[in-house]
Amino acid sequence: MLLGTGWLCVALGIVGIILPLFPTTPFLLVAVWAFSRSSPEMAEKIRSHRHAGKYVRDWEDQGVIPTGAKVITVVMMTAMFGYLHFGADAPAWMEIGTALIMAGVAAFVLSRPGRRST
């Protein structure tokens, strides 16, 4: 089960490299988690990957979210909320609920360190 989850998340992470606005790193983090319990050698391959490995290790070791990723996250959430409010005919309860969830996610993302401490 966890091995399959790991491979599915790797596949979704690869899709995220190709498709704009589709996340890559969160899927790789879940893949590392699943592989660490089912195939430690695969988890280590992701951790040591020349491009993605740094971000995975930074998150696992110190909870780092790069500053650029924070900016993109908050800007995209704001844009999507703007669309929900101005472009969609969503009920008020949905707008309020979405705003609260997005505010919580933004607060979490912004509370994380932007770079590794030495």
Side-chain angles (χ1 to χ4, degrees):
M1 178 77 170
L2 288 175
L3 189 61
T5 300
W7 282 112
L8 175 65
C9 287
V10 167
L12 290 171
I14 291 170
V15 169
I17 293 169
I18 298 165
L19 293 177
L21 305 180
F22 195 82
T24 298
T25 307
F27 288 115
L28 293 180
L29 292 173
V30 173
V32 168
W33 170 81
F35 283 142
S36 69
R37 285 152 179 77
S38 61
S39 175
E41 55 277 352
M42 281 306 300
E44 193 51 41
K45 277 188 177 187
I46 295 172
R47 282 188 202 101
S48 62
H49 188 271
R50 65 182 173 153
H51 298 296
K54 176 189 180 315
Y55 301 108
V56 171
R57 287 188 311 273
D58 285 353
W59 173 257
E60 286 185 324
D61 296 345
Q62 297 182 359
V64 170
I65 298 175
T67 303
K70 291 180 185 189
V71 170
I72 290 170
T73 300
V74 172
V75 166
M76 292 304 297
M77 285 193 306
T78 303
M80 291 301 102
F81 182 76
Y83 172 75
L84 179 67
H85 181 71
F86 296 110
D89 191 25
W93 66 265
M94 185 180 292
E95 287 187 31
I96 292 168
T98 301
L100 291 172
I101 291 168
M102 286 183 169
V105 170
F108 174 77
V109 167
L110 294 173
S111 73
R112 306 310 311 154
R115 61 183 170 181
R116 266 176 115 58
S117 61
T118 53

